[in-house]
Amino acid sequence: MEHKLYVNSSPHIKDVAKTSNIMFDVIIALIPATIISIYLYSYMAAIIIGVTVLSSVLFETLYNLLTKQKQTVGDFSAVVTGLLLALTLPPAASSIWLGVVGSLVAIIIVKMIFGGLGQNIFNPAIAARVFLTVAFSSQMTTWLSPGADAISTATPLALASNGIVTSNIDLFLGNIPGCIGETSALALLLGFGWLLIRKVIKLDITLTYLLTVVVFSFIIGADPLFHLLSGGLLLGAIFMATDYSTSPMTRNGKIIFGFGLGIITMSIRVYGNLPEGVSFAILFMNVLVPLIDRYTIPKSFGGVKKKNA
Amino acid sequence: MKQYKYFRGGVKAPHYKNTENVETTVMPIPDLIEIPMLHHIGAPCDPLVKPGDEILVGQKIGDSDKYISAPVHTGVSGKVKKINNVLFPNGETVKSVLIESDKKQELHPSIKPPVINSKKDFIAAIRESGLVGLGGAGFPTHVKLNPPEGIKIEYLLINGAECEPYITSDYRESIENSWNIISGINIIMEYLEIDKVIIGIEDNKPKAVEVLTGIAKTSDKIDIMPLKSKYPQGAEKMLIYSLTGKVVPAGKLPLDVGVIVLNVASVAFIASYIKTGMPLTKKRITIDGGAVKQPANIEVFVGTYIKEAISFAGGFKEVPKKILMGGPMMGVSQFNLDSPILKQNNAILAFNEKQSKMPEQTACIKCGRCVSVCPMNLMPVYFDIFNESGDADQLSKLDVLSCIECGSCSFVCPASRYLVQSIRNGKLLVRARGSK
Ligand code: SF4
Ligand code: SF4
């Protein structure tokens, strides 16, 4: 009775965590923001989101087919990228093709060429958004006030640089002009709660980032709540800055990362001539992640402090 | 007494303690047993018998003159059939003595209670008993008890934290053999002049906590500390930290910080050896896993074949696809069912097809889960990367040798990376390079 036995290194059991489950949880966490955006901008938002997600998935599938690699779309990470990218586009018709171009940049150039999930240096959605902002600046800044009679207008941050104030309640609920998914803080916080409950992310990065912004605002005498609630900060701090492959791995690293994000975001907002600092801050800090990781390697239990690896 | 400290990291492993209420049954003497010459960490023994020799119960059949080693004895009487070779799962070939039992079980004349007049005698007696760490690692106990010059032993810690899933042999030991545990503790306290003893046991075993609390009440030098049940609570360094707050420095032994850790079964064995002089030839083990018909706790002779132990316990209900010596987190998967049971085995698990297959590896997503669960505060993800690139320098800088191979990192990895496998290989790379 000789049976073939499996022989492998321990451990011989695994808990249920799987990459696709994690990505699925992120998608669930983005559902409130998605619903609100469709409510605010009706079918236009739905079309933009649908097209962007589909093209992200398609590009990843095609890339894998053409380069004869194992198909990876099953891990849902392309859906997450597409969804995040769509939520950072303005709610105008031009965003439909912006979404396709953005997906191409995000999936092919930023993610797959670097080696795919886990290997990319930049957050694909953010990098694509920055690319679009630079290349198609007029289309990327066509803001509409939510509602049936959507009219072209400026975002609260742009207004603020002209001294016009928007109410924080409107900011919280999303009743303000902005990108499709950046507008409702409430929806984003619901998603944050889900990510925390499901242990997809920890508090470290998001909390340090937001706290730094609040403290910075206090110091310069600005309204902290206004800065917290406007300009994609929450979307960035909750969903983009916490992206695994483009953020540090240790706790100390995460705190340094969040702090840097806060400082850069506020510096760009206050001293730069751009009203929007979140995307640039995240891209800039993404570059520093390998360095941060290297200098925050912890001391092993019972070991001596190690110099950089 | 409340838990003193909580170690970082760790995972919530499932319990699967299906056998916790199954009383131990004694397996009858098998016709053939095969006793390997290596059950421990250290040098293998040389056989002291040759084919054709008649041997008696308790007779020493293997020994070594190396310090880190422990002699091997037979639990059955009979005739030596052959000096064989067994292939260990790590690829090592070890000599073994194949014995045909005559079922007479006549005692060898050397078996009498050891005469002990000093600490030295005591440690020598423990060496003669063949005792090795029964919790799984199999480190020779006499080495553990012998402190280097100038070190005073402050604590004796009793490890009852059986944190591996499935295994209940120590739990059954605590309940069925509590009297020997008390006398073992007292004997060690007396001979080694230790006056602080702490029994650590996980709080998910209330019955054992109750029994051991009873033991602790017999002396004001003995305390019991229920521990939060978290894997790997029973790992030596984690246990020491939880019970005393002491941190064993990398590359050192518990003795270096004045601590001795013994497993409940080891302590109970010491008591019975001092009373009878009968060396370590039997072992209580848990038989479980999806492929076995009747999960059980059984007492077997060291050297019994796995397949016979399982068939005594009730046999298979499904085709076994993986055979483990030890628990699922740290156990060793066997090549076949003909491996003999070793002294430090505490469980044999037979898994069915579904339990046996580990998921395919996918790309690491840099989620950091492996980092946050590592009880040794290491960065398993980098071990994987640098093992792949063969970078021994980085592996050594990142302290790969400190890894206790607890498996927590692989257990949680959403990409199912074979981290422990990479780590083992990485350790070989570092050792081959010959630096520390
Ligand atoms: S747990 Fe797995 S996927 Fe996550 S960082 Fe570690 S090795 Fe990579
Ligand atoms: S690196 Fe080693 S000690 Fe850390 S979790 Fe993995 S196996 Fe355990």
Side-chain angles (χ1 to χ4, degrees), chain A residues 249, chain B residues 363-371 381 384 409 412-417 419:
Chain A
M249 246 173 310
Chain B
C364 164
I365 56 171
K366 306 272 156 63
C367 66
R369 281 176 172 72
C370 55
V371 177
V381 48
D384 197 28
C409 49
V412 296
C413 177
S416 310
R417 304 295 305 169
L419 297 168

Side-chain angles (χ1 to χ4, degrees), chain B residues 1-3 6 15 20 160-163 171 199-210 224-230 233:
Chain B
M1 224 168 141
K2 251 181 61 89
Q3 180 164 355
Y6 295 90
H15 295 308
E20 63 183 352
E162 197 163 46
C163 56
Y171 177 79
I199 305 173
I201 183 154
E202 287 181 298
D203 57 12
N204 62 343
K205 308 179 176 79
K207 240 206 240 162
V209 171
E210 197 188 305
I224 178 159
M225 217 183 261
L227 302 168
K228 197 171 138 206
S229 103
K230 176 165 88 162
Q233 182 64 74

Side-chain angles (χ1 to χ4, degrees), chain A residues 1-8, chain B residues 306 316 319-324 333-339 350-351 356:
Chain A
M1 63 154 214
E2 248 345 80
H3 319 290
K4 261 242 159 91
L5 294 178
Y6 290 100
V7 173
N8 65 273
Chain B
I306 289 179
F316 295 110
V319 180
K321 286 290 181 175
K322 189 185 269 180
I323 302 292
L324 295 181
S333 58
Q334 304 291 309
F335 294 121
N336 55 50
L337 285 159
D338 297 321
S339 317
F351 280 0
S356 301

Side-chain angles (χ1 to χ4, degrees), chain A residues 1-15 17-19 22-23 70 117-119 198-200 202 244-245 247 249-250 254 293-294 296-304 306-309, chain B residues 165 247-250 320-324 328-329 331 333-337 353 356-358 364-369 372 376-379 381-382 394 397-399 407 410-414 416 420-421 424:
Chain A
M1 63 154 214
E2 248 345 80
H3 319 290
K4 261 242 159 91
L5 294 178
Y6 290 100
V7 173
N8 65 273
S9 194
S10 58
H12 305 279
I13 42 170
K14 250 197 70 49
D15 76 354
K18 260 188 14 207
T19 303
I22 294 173
M23 295 300 160
K70 232 176 107 192
L117 184 63
Q119 299 291 321
R198 302 286 297 167
K199 301 206 165 100
V200 173
K202 293 192 176 147
Y244 292 148
S245 33
S247 65
M249 246 173 310
T250 63
K254 286 180 203 253
D293 266 341
R294 181 194 273 220
T296 50
I297 288 171
K299 183 167 90 77
S300 65
F301 184 72
V304 279
K306 287 286 154 4
K307 286 277 143 51
N308 46 320
Chain B
V247 176
V248 181
K321 286 290 181 175
K322 189 185 269 180
I323 302 292
L324 295 181
M329 292 298 283
S333 58
Q334 304 291 309
F335 294 121
N336 55 50
L337 285 159
E353 173 79 31
S356 301
K357 248 196 162 144
M358 295 307 283
C364 164
I365 56 171
K366 306 272 156 63
C367 66
R369 281 176 172 72
S372 52
M376 294 301 293
N377 214 3
L378 301 169
M379 311 240 354
V381 48
Y382 290 152
Q394 296 289 14
K397 264 191 201 160
L398 290 166
D399 222 356
S410 304
F411 178 75
V412 296
C413 177
S416 310
V420 175
Q421 188 176 317
R424 289 201 177 120

Side-chain angles (χ1 to χ4, degrees), chain A residues 11, chain B residues 10 231-232 370-371 373-381 383 400 402-410 419-420 423 427:
Chain B
Y231 181 87
C370 55
V371 177
V373 299
C374 177
M376 294 301 293
N377 214 3
L378 301 169
M379 311 240 354
V381 48
F383 296 151
V400 71
S402 284
C403 165
I404 57 170
E405 299 180 18
C406 68
S408 302
C409 49
S410 304
L419 297 168
V420 175
I423 288 167
K427 286 182 177 178

Side-chain angles (χ1 to χ4, degrees), chain B residues 220-427:
Chain B
D220 54 6
K221 292 179 179 169
I222 308 176
D223 271 313
I224 178 159
M225 217 183 261
L227 302 168
K228 197 171 138 206
S229 103
K230 176 165 88 162
Y231 181 87
Q233 182 64 74
E236 210 164 59
K237 292 184 177 182
M238 277 67 247
L239 187 85
I240 293 172
Y241 187 67
S242 298
L243 295 179
T244 68
K246 286 178 191 271
V247 176
V248 181
K252 298 275 182 184
L253 294 175
L255 268 184
D256 295 301
V257 291
V259 175
I260 290 175
V261 183
L262 291 175
N263 151 291
V264 282
S266 302
V267 176
F269 168 78
I270 290 178
S272 91
Y273 179 71
I274 299 295
K275 250 179 280 172
T276 63
M278 186 64 195
L280 182 63
T281 58
K282 284 186 210 164
K283 194 62 216 290
R284 179 186 271 109
I285 61 172
T286 299
I287 305 265
D288 202 346
V292 303
K293 206 182 274 164
Q294 192 59 60
N297 283 300
I298 61 176
E299 190 184 275
V300 296
F301 286 109
V302 171
T304 304
Y305 291 114
I306 289 179
K307 60 173 178 231
E308 288 181 32
I310 294 180
S311 70
F312 167 70
F316 295 110
K317 67 170 184 216
E318 271 180 67
V319 180
K321 286 290 181 175
K322 189 185 269 180
I323 302 292
L324 295 181
M325 272 194 177
M329 292 298 283
M330 292 186 75
V332 184
S333 58
Q334 304 291 309
F335 294 121
N336 55 50
L337 285 159
D338 297 321
S339 317
I341 289 166
L342 306 176
K343 288 177 188 173
Q344 75 272 34
N345 272 170
N346 40 21
I348 301 290
L349 303 179
F351 280 0
N352 59 25
E353 173 79 31
K354 195 166 149 259
Q355 292 172 313
S356 301
K357 248 196 162 144
M358 295 307 283
E360 287 277 326
Q361 300 195 84
T362 53
C364 164
I365 56 171
K366 306 272 156 63
C367 66
R369 281 176 172 72
C370 55
V371 177
S372 52
V373 299
C374 177
M376 294 301 293
N377 214 3
L378 301 169
M379 311 240 354
V381 48
Y382 290 152
F383 296 151
D384 197 28
I385 295 171
F386 290 128
N387 173 53
E388 213 136 286
S389 63
D391 193 337
D393 281 333
Q394 296 289 14
L395 287 167
S396 138
K397 264 191 201 160
L398 290 166
D399 222 356
V400 71
L401 296 182
S402 284
C403 165
I404 57 170
E405 299 180 18
C406 68
S408 302
C409 49
S410 304
F411 178 75
V412 296
C413 177
S416 310
R417 304 295 305 169
Y418 303 153
L419 297 168
V420 175
Q421 188 176 317
S422 297
I423 288 167
R424 289 201 177 120
N425 197 55
K427 286 182 177 178

